[in-house]
Amino acid sequence: MFVLIWATLLFSVSSNAYKGRTVGKQNCKDYCVTFSKQNLQAEAGLCVVIPCYFRTAAGFTPKHIVWFKCEASIERCVDADIIFHSNKNTGIKHQSGFKGRVSLLEPDVREKNCSIIINDLRESDSGSYQLRVTGKVNGKQDGFTFIPKVTVSVKGLTQKPTVTIPTLTEGQQATLTCTAPGLCSGSVPDITWTWRGAGGTESHITGNSTAFKNLTLVTQRHISVLTFNPSAEHHNTSVTCKITFTGETTTEETLTVTVNYNRKPQIIGNTTVKEGDALNLTCCVESFPPSLIVWKKLSSNTNLHNGTHTDLHSDTGSATLVIHNVTAEDSGEYICTAKYLDTTVTLYVNVTVTWFSKILDGSGCVLQSEGLTCVCISEGSPLPIVTWPLLKHHSEYSVITSVSNHTVNSTVSLPVKKHGNTIVECVSNNGNGEESEILLIRQNFPKKEEQSLGFRLQFLEIIIAFLIGVVLSSIVCCSTKKCYRKSAGEATRRQESTKTEYAEIRKAVKEERQDGEEAETLAVEMINCEPEKEEGKYEAAYSIANDR
């Protein structure tokens, strides 16, 4: 609530202030008048004091003071020019425009102080002023008009009120003071307060007012006091104190209001940044006076720097942290410290630098007797998700995933005895991008299994070589359609040898089948090429052979 208080500060002017001053002194023996100044400057709406001191003959007893205003060319003013008479009962008419505006500074004429104050000046008050003292000489009424005059020049008002604004702090009651110009005891001026906010909007402040008029004819100072509770809304607004004197003469003073206030600091900007982009964070706080802002990184005792290699701080209430081409090392906790007067507030913010997912070395597959096992190692921020397109074609498999920092290890196992043309692909995606890789498959069999496989390969080579020999022999026999006769012992040995070899082959195949391993099924035919028999010849030969 605004409280408007009118107050008057009284100032007294001693009647002896003008004694002994001889400016404008006349060469006189019995009657003379002394003015401190014979030419006075004054402003409309204010007041003017004409300092005056007189002296009379020894037999003259002064009773009243009379002041006139007339043309400077006239030697003696007349009764029609009277502006003030200390005797209220004379019945003499005064100039109407001066009624109630002229007062003696010293009412006791015996003090011989003839100084007067003219209040509520108008420009028409400019002119020459003359003094007359009335009294008694030897018991008879008499008077003396002093020839010297005082010239008063009244111009337009240029003086402004004095506005005093203390240090304003939000929430603490404060008092603004407006002092009207001039030390006048005339009409109490009208003092008004006006606030002018943003956009030029104005609001008048009204309240109760009380005028304290000095009961003694001395000077007064008029003061208006405004009491209110300032807030941040009053900051940078303007306040105007306007003084309105009699005759619509006005003057005013406008000052800008500053209010000390402080708001909570805040950090503006994205705290998650992709690798290679720029980190841009602004720490700011609305306050007056502006706060000092300092950026630091946690675990670092030094202030952060920008391109100027100077400390990253600002006393304007706002400081921006910019890091170009960020890397994973720029991730971490950053600190903004805002210092306002004797108060310090600290803010913390976590910065995360994300990067594309990558498939690391060490990823691959191993084919074993019990199945296929593949490992995909991927790194990225945020953590990537690893998928296996191969699993779409299999219903039986297992996947194990482990995480360490920014690394994901995905292991898949599935029963595959022959990978054939199988392609194993690992796909890693973390939202920033996707990477895939075809994994290398290597075989890893136990020692016993390797020996069995080597035996099977050697056995296969023997079978193939034997079959080729048999086929070639068949071709030769069939093309000639007869076989040359050999000795009976030689033919018998050949048949025995052939039977023995065939028996060994079958035995080997049987052993392979008993091992439970898959192998190629080989069909072996023993082809006997027998020549056309000529009756008697073979039998004779057989007999001869037996006889031997």
Side-chain angles (χ1 to χ4, degrees), residues 464-515:
I464 292 173
F466 175 77
L467 291 177
I468 291 174
V470 171
V471 170
L472 290 177
S473 300
S474 300
I475 292 173
V476 172
C477 291
C478 293
S479 61
T480 56
K481 293 185 180 180
K482 67 177 183 177
C483 295
Y484 296 99
R485 192 177 64 179
K486 303 291 183 180
S487 63
E490 186 176 359
T492 301
R493 285 194 302 272
R494 182 182 297 270
Q495 288 180 0
E496 292 293 336
S497 176
T498 300
K499 290 179 180 180
T500 301
E501 290 177 356
Y502 180 70
E504 290 178 354
I505 291 174
R506 290 184 59 85
K507 179 180 179 183
V509 172
K510 183 176 181 181
E511 290 178 353
E512 278 297 312
R513 288 178 178 175
Q514 289 176 351
D515 289 338

Side-chain angles (χ1 to χ4, degrees), residues 280-518:
N280 191 319
L281 297 176
T282 299
C283 182
C284 58
V285 55
E286 183 184 351
S287 67
F288 183 84
S291 300
L292 173 66
I293 307 296
V294 178
W295 276 103
K296 288 185 178 181
K297 188 176 183 182
L298 194 65
S299 73
S300 175
N301 294 325
T302 58
N303 297 338
L304 294 176
H305 304 282
N306 263 345
T308 57
H309 303 294
T310 57
D311 289 346
L312 180 56
H313 69 273
S314 171
D315 57 2
T316 63
S318 177
T320 301
L321 169 65
V322 178
I323 302 178
H324 297 282
N325 195 24
V326 296
T327 63
E329 287 74 17
D330 294 316
S331 295
E333 193 169 30
Y334 290 79
I335 305 172
C336 168
T337 302
K339 184 177 182 181
Y340 171 77
L341 299 179
D342 297 329
T343 303
T344 300
V345 179
T346 302
L347 293 181
Y348 298 86
V349 62
N350 283 311
V351 173
T352 302
V353 178
T354 65
W355 63 88
F356 295 105
S357 59
K358 303 174 183 178
I359 297 178
L360 305 181
D361 294 340
S363 301
C365 297
V366 176
L367 180 63
Q368 296 176 317
S369 59
E370 60 271 16
L372 181 66
T373 301
C374 296
V375 177
C376 184
I377 306 172
S378 180
E379 181 185 60
S381 178
L383 279 173
I385 297 175
V386 176
T387 58
W388 301 89
L390 170 69
L391 302 182
K392 296 179 181 179
H393 308 292
H394 293 267
S395 59
E396 184 181 352
Y397 59 85
S398 64
V399 178
I400 300 175
T401 302
S402 61
V403 176
S404 176
N405 292 330
H406 298 288
T407 304
V408 176
N409 189 314
S410 179
T411 303
V412 61
S413 300
L414 65 162
V416 175
K417 293 186 177 180
K418 292 193 301 180
H419 70 277
N421 294 325
T422 299
I423 296 178
V424 179
E425 182 182 18
C426 168
V427 179
S428 175
N429 191 323
N430 70 342
N432 289 333
E434 181 178 284
E435 184 175 68
S436 63
E437 183 175 323
I438 303 300
L439 302 182
L440 176 66
I441 301 176
R442 62 185 182 87
Q443 295 179 346
N444 185 17
F445 295 103
K447 197 169 198 181
K448 179 179 179 181
E449 187 175 350
E450 290 178 356
Q451 292 175 351
S452 176
L453 180 60
F455 174 78
R456 288 199 298 268
L457 291 176
Q458 293 178 359
F459 174 72
L460 185 59
E461 291 176 357
I462 295 172
I463 295 298
I464 292 173
F466 175 77
L467 291 177
I468 291 174
V470 171
V471 170
L472 290 177
S473 300
S474 300
I475 292 173
V476 172
C477 291
C478 293
S479 61
T480 56
K481 293 185 180 180
K482 67 177 183 177
C483 295
Y484 296 99
R485 192 177 64 179
K486 303 291 183 180
S487 63
E490 186 176 359
T492 301
R493 285 194 302 272
R494 182 182 297 270
Q495 288 180 0
E496 292 293 336
S497 176
T498 300
K499 290 179 180 180
T500 301
E501 290 177 356
Y502 180 70
E504 290 178 354
I505 291 174
R506 290 184 59 85
K507 179 180 179 183
V509 172
K510 183 176 181 181
E511 290 178 353
E512 278 297 312
R513 288 178 178 175
Q514 289 176 351
D515 289 338
E517 299 294 334
E518 289 184 359

Side-chain angles (χ1 to χ4, degrees), residues 10 212-218 220:
L10 307 181
F212 297 90
K213 187 175 182 179
N214 185 12
L215 299 179
T216 60
L217 298 177
V218 295
Q220 298 177 347

Side-chain angles (χ1 to χ4, degrees), residues 71-347:
E71 296 295 330
S73 59
I74 299 176
E75 184 179 5
R76 292 177 185 271
C77 299
V78 297
D79 288 350
D81 299 325
I82 294 177
I83 65 169
F84 173 81
H85 200 303
S86 61
N87 185 2
K88 307 299 181 183
N89 300 319
T90 59
I92 300 175
K93 293 183 178 182
H94 301 59
Q95 292 189 42
S96 60
F98 286 90
K99 186 177 181 179
R101 296 197 293 131
V102 183
S103 302
L104 282 174
L105 294 183
E106 176 54 66
D108 189 354
V109 179
R110 291 175 299 180
E111 295 291 334
K112 297 182 180 181
N113 186 343
C114 50
S115 302
I116 61 171
I117 180 171
I118 305 174
N119 290 299
D120 304 331
L121 285 176
R122 308 163 186 172
E123 292 187 28
S124 61
D125 293 336
S126 299
S128 297
Y129 292 81
Q130 192 174 43
L131 172 68
R132 178 179 174 81
V133 179
T134 64
K136 291 183 178 182
V137 177
N138 298 324
K140 295 181 180 180
Q141 295 290 337
D142 198 357
F144 186 85
T145 301
F146 297 90
I147 300 302
K149 296 184 178 71
V150 175
T151 301
V152 177
S153 297
V154 181
K155 297 181 179 180
L157 181 60
T158 60
Q159 295 185 50
K160 292 180 178 297
T162 301
V163 179
T164 302
I165 301 178
T167 300
L168 303 179
T169 302
E170 187 176 40
Q172 298 180 8
Q173 191 178 73
T175 298
L176 277 62
T177 302
C178 179
T179 304
L183 298 172
C184 305
S185 57
S187 302
V188 177
D190 183 25
I191 304 180
T192 58
W193 294 89
T194 303
W195 288 101
R196 183 176 291 106
T201 58
E202 292 186 357
S203 59
H204 295 277
I205 305 170
T206 58
N208 297 328
S209 62
T210 304
F212 297 90
K213 187 175 182 179
N214 185 12
L215 299 179
T216 60
L217 298 177
V218 295
T219 56
Q220 298 177 347
R221 188 177 293 279
H222 300 282
I223 300 174
S224 175
V225 177
L226 176 64
T227 302
F228 73 109
N229 290 318
S231 68
E233 295 178 355
H234 294 107
H235 181 66
N236 275 340
T237 61
S238 60
V239 62
T240 300
C241 176
K242 184 177 182 180
I243 312 294
T244 303
F245 296 100
T246 302
E248 299 301 320
T249 301
T250 62
T251 182
E252 63 181 35
E253 179 69 291
T254 300
L255 294 180
T256 299
V257 175
T258 58
V259 180
N260 292 345
Y261 71 98
N262 185 29
R263 296 288 181 263
K264 291 182 179 180
Q266 58 179 333
I267 296 177
I268 302 173
N270 293 326
T271 58
T272 301
V273 188
K274 291 183 179 179
E275 187 177 29
D277 290 349
L279 173 66
N280 191 319
L281 297 176
T282 299
C283 182
C284 58
V285 55
E286 183 184 351
S287 67
F288 183 84
S291 300
L292 173 66
I293 307 296
V294 178
W295 276 103
K296 288 185 178 181
K297 188 176 183 182
L298 194 65
S299 73
S300 175
N301 294 325
T302 58
N303 297 338
L304 294 176
H305 304 282
N306 263 345
T308 57
H309 303 294
T310 57
D311 289 346
L312 180 56
H313 69 273
S314 171
D315 57 2
T316 63
S318 177
T320 301
L321 169 65
V322 178
I323 302 178
H324 297 282
N325 195 24
V326 296
T327 63
E329 287 74 17
D330 294 316
S331 295
E333 193 169 30
Y334 290 79
I335 305 172
C336 168
T337 302
K339 184 177 182 181
Y340 171 77
L341 299 179
D342 297 329
T343 303
T344 300
V345 179
T346 302
L347 293 181

